[in-house]
């Protein structure tokens, strides 16, 4: 039987790698499952100058290599594999890979990332890898001295268009907005407007890509006049946003309508012990810096969860005697009185009944697991099973009656 | 695996008899680098079935374009010098090396 990890991270982009760093520095047994080389989309983004502290000659692949080195330095294991299925129904979570391996962990941090969106316009599918590309870093040098088109006008589109000008003779950007309007950040827009190799086609969309074996031309449609224009080109690069790679999670955790992982501020999904980080998470800004932040938060939340689970198991589920588990809060006076009642009852029983106290504000997870809505609440466990419970205030006689059910 | 160049491409691939596998790659392509260990394992495990070659497209751009390869990674099978099957980036990233093994078994 393979080992059970404390934290298994699915996907080695910046979010997953940051989770690995925080997990292993907390001395948790942490592994990252990654399909190829770590770094995610950032590893194929050459121009990257917005990760704090890195702006001189920095590249996506180089920064991502440092992330991976950092995680491994503190003991994160990077495993090779593609997750195709998960089983989150038991206390030990399972992740199954395409080659049939099953990895087990107490906590899973999902960091599957996103992939470039395709527009499915005519000719796009057929000419992929034959002039149609979604990765400038991968394919730019094919287009030395050739002419290419870029579709899109967000950060990625404009930054990658500038990267392409180092190779291509000309780069024509097709922009759906009116002249001068780009969705990208202002710094990149200013640079791009000054770049003499970049040409602009405004108020337009791509209608069709033509070519027999390689891309030969494109048909561009002006959205104001509906006029169609055919232009010769050698390549078409799409940067029109991304879609989350979460198909394998459908039905296993809560996803948004668009397929993003739904989480709260602690990166928790609707399944306890399962977290979502990075570009596949439903959030406002998808950047390396936010992915890394997600990863750190998830790893710390997972660490707290593991500690809570472990002490609960030791004190309650694995206890040799029946145990009264009291949910209380120092702010709720009634619950402090209730603890007094339980202590006196337990004392009377000598060592026959254990007492465990849970501050509900600090242990929200366990409180939620047992649907505790009132403070105080007491639940009686015997050999890990619930014997009975009282929700709300109680007397010593009530507790005696509860113990009588054993 | 045989390293292909402008000089030996014709002799090793286009004028060769039997099944030839070519990995079009480049050190700048992350997907290519990620697949490289798989490709090397494929070559090691299937020695007799085909001739395994790789072409670094950096510096051999025109050669790749002449083979209608304009994106990386691309894997191509040639039989008696004719291109008979190819796998492009999307297929390789979603389906992995297993489908290439299947194709190889089918063609060999």
């Amino acid at each position: 039987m393979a080992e059970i990890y404390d934290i298994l991270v699915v996907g080695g982009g910046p979010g997953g790698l940051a989770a690995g760093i925080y997990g292993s520095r907390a001395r948790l047994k942490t592994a990252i499952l990654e399909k190829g080389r770590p770094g995610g989309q950032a590893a194929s983004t050459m121009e990257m100058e917005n990760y704090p502290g890195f702006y001189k000659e920095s590249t996506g692949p180089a920064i991502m290599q440092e992330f991976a080195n950092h995680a491994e330095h503190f003991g994160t294991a990077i495993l090779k594999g593609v997750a195709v299925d998960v089983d989150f129904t038991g206390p030990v979570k399972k992740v199954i890979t395409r080659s049939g391996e099953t990895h087990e962990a107490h906590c899973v941090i999902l960091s599957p990332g996103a992939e470039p969106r395709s527009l499915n316009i005519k000719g796009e599918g057929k000419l992929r890898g034959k002039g149609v590309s979604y990765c400038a870093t991968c394919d730019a040098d094919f287009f030395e001295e050739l002419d290419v088109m870029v579709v899109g006008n967000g950060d990625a589109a404009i930054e990658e268009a500038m990267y392409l000008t180092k190779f291509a003779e000309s780069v024509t950007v097709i922009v759906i907005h009116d002249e001068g309007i780009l969705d990208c950040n202002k710094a990149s827009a200013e640079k791009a407007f000054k770049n003499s190799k970049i040409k602009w086609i405004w108020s337009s969309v791509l209608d069709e890509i033509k070519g027999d074996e390689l891309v030969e031309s494109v048909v561009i449609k002006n959205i104001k006049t509906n006029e169609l224009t055919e232009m010769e080109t050698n390549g078409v690069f799409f940067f029109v946003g991304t879609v989350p790679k979460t198909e394998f999670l459908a039905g296993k955790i809560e996803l948004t309508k668009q397929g993003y992982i739904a989480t709260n501020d602690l990166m928790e999904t609707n399944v306890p012990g399962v977290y979502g980080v990075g570009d596949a998470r439903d959030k406002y800004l998808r950047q390396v810096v936010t992915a890394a932040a997600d990863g750190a938060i998830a790893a710390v939340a997972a660490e707290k969860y593991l500690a809570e689970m472990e002490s609960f198991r030791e004190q309650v589920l694995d206890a040799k005697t029946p145990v009264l588990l009291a949910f209380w809060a120092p702010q709720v006076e009634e619950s402090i009185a209730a603890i007094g009642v339980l202590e006196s009852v337990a004392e009377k029983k000598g060592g026959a009944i254990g007492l465990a106290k849970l501050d509900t504000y600090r242990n929200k997870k366990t409180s939620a697991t047992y649907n505790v809505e009132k403070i105080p609440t007491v639940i009686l466990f015997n050999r890990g099973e619930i014997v009975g419970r009282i929700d709300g205030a109680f007397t010593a006689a009530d507790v005696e009656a509860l113990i009588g059910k054993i | 695996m045989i390293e292909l160049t402008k000089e030996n491409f014709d002799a090793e691939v286009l004028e060769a008899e039997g099944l030839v596998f070519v990995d079009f790659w480049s050190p700048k392509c992350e997907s290519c680098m990620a697949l490289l260990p798989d490709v090397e394992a494929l070559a090691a495990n299937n020695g007799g079935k085909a001739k395994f070659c790789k072409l670094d497209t950096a510096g051999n751009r025109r050669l790749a374009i002449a083979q209608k390869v304009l994106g990386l990674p691309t894997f191509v099978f040639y039989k008696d010098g004719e291109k008979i099957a190819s796998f492009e980036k999307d297929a390789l990233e979603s389906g992995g090396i297993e489908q290439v093994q299947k194709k190889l078994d089918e063609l060999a």
Side-chain angles (χ1 to χ4, degrees), chain A residues 18-85:
Chain A
I21 293 166
Y22 276 75
S24 39
R25 283 200 76 226
R27 302 287 178 263
L28 298 170
K29 197 192 284 179
T30 307
I32 297 174
L33 187 64
E34 162 59 39
K35 70 172 159 55
R37 286 222 296 199
Q41 295 175 89
S44 58
T45 307
M46 208 42 105
E47 307 269 300
M48 195 167 124
E49 52 183 36
N50 56 6
Y51 190 74
F54 295 81
Y55 59 101
K56 292 174 191 156
E57 309 280 315
S58 59
T59 67
I63 298 172
M64 286 305 103
Q65 189 56 52
E66 284 301 304
F67 270 51
N69 293 347
H70 192 167
E72 287 187 307
H73 174 76
F74 283 108
T76 303
I78 298 184
L79 315 171
K80 195 169 177 192
V82 181
V84 290
D85 197 9

Side-chain angles (χ1 to χ4, degrees), chain A residues 244-272:
Chain A
K245 297 200 278 187
T246 53
E247 289 99 344
F248 71 109
L249 298 169
K252 314 280 181 170
I253 57 165
E254 190 189 330
L255 301 174
T256 66
K257 251 187 241 161
Q258 293 78 31
Y260 291 100
I261 301 171
T263 74
N264 61 14
D265 287 350
L266 297 184
M267 308 299 136
E268 294 166 326
T269 66
N270 64 322
V271 179

Side-chain angles (χ1 to χ4, degrees), chain A residues 97-396:
Chain A
T97 69
R98 189 168 58 208
S99 54
E101 289 167 306
T102 299
H103 297 287
E104 296 188 321
H106 298 293
C107 284
V108 172
I109 297 179
L110 298 165
S111 174
E115 60 193 348
R117 182 192 300 280
S118 68
L119 292 178
N120 291 321
I121 62 172
K122 202 173 165 196
E124 183 183 344
K126 189 186 109 180
L127 292 164
R128 275 184 190 198
K130 298 176 167 60
V132 171
S133 177
Y134 305 83
C135 175
T137 321
C138 307
D139 301 332
D141 50 7
F142 281 115
F143 297 94
E144 242 169 80
E145 297 157 35
L146 300 179
D147 301 308
V148 300
M149 298 271 170
V150 164
V151 183
N153 67 100
D155 287 352
I158 301 307
E159 285 161 16
E160 300 294 272
M162 279 190 286
Y163 177 72
L164 284 165
T165 61
K166 293 179 184 172
F167 302 87
E169 182 67 27
S170 77
V171 176
T172 304
V173 186
I174 300 167
V175 185
I176 195 166
H177 305 303
D178 285 350
E179 182 160 356
I181 301 172
L182 297 176
D183 291 333
C184 71
N185 65 79
K186 294 270 187 312
S188 294
E190 279 169 20
K191 267 204 229 170
F193 286 138
K194 282 186 201 146
N195 190 321
S196 60
K197 275 187 161 184
I198 299 184
K199 296 169 185 160
W200 305 90
I201 297 179
W202 304 100
S203 309
S204 298
V205 293
L206 204 58
D207 194 66
E208 185 184 347
I209 304 167
K210 290 183 172 177
D212 193 11
E213 282 188 282
L214 294 176
V215 169
E216 287 159 15
S217 68
V218 291
V219 178
I220 295 159
K221 181 178 170 182
N222 183 303
I223 55 168
K224 293 199 165 154
T225 61
N226 282 332
E227 192 188 339
L228 296 173
T229 315
E230 187 164 344
M231 278 182 73
E232 281 187 14
T233 192
N234 305 107
V236 183
F237 285 80
F238 284 91
F239 303 104
V240 287
T242 57
V243 286
K245 297 200 278 187
T246 53
E247 289 99 344
F248 71 109
L249 298 169
K252 314 280 181 170
I253 57 165
E254 190 189 330
L255 301 174
T256 66
K257 251 187 241 161
Q258 293 78 31
Y260 291 100
I261 301 171
T263 74
N264 61 14
D265 287 350
L266 297 184
M267 308 299 136
E268 294 166 326
T269 66
N270 64 322
V271 179
V274 179
Y275 304 80
V277 305
D279 277 9
R281 187 170 81 85
D282 183 33
K283 64 175 177 178
Y284 175 66
L285 180 66
R286 294 190 174 81
Q287 291 282 302
V288 173
V289 66
T290 63
D294 287 0
I297 294 167
V300 171
E303 183 192 353
K304 295 256 185 313
Y305 169 84
L306 288 167
E308 197 180 316
M309 287 300 118
E310 194 182 320
S311 75
F312 184 74
R313 174 155 293 282
E314 276 174 14
Q315 289 183 33
V316 180
L317 300 179
D318 291 347
K320 294 199 170 57
T321 61
V323 175
L324 289 162
L325 175 64
F327 293 86
W328 74 297
Q331 304 88 323
V332 182
E333 221 161 287
E334 213 184 0
S335 76
I336 299 172
I339 292 290
V341 169
L342 291 168
E343 277 171 348
S344 68
V345 173
E347 203 174 320
K348 251 193 265 170
K349 302 279 174 197
I353 294 278
L355 174 61
K357 293 170 270 188
L358 212 71
D359 181 336
T360 45
Y361 285 100
R362 290 174 177 219
N363 296 280
K364 287 185 179 148
K365 228 41 103 309
T366 314
S367 309
T369 306
Y370 293 101
N371 301 313
V372 172
E373 279 161 12
K374 286 183 183 163
I375 302 172
T377 285
V378 63
I379 303 180
L380 180 62
F381 285 85
N382 190 18
R383 297 196 178 95
E385 303 282 326
I386 296 176
V387 178
R389 63 191 283 167
I390 306 169
D391 295 86
F394 44 79
T395 63

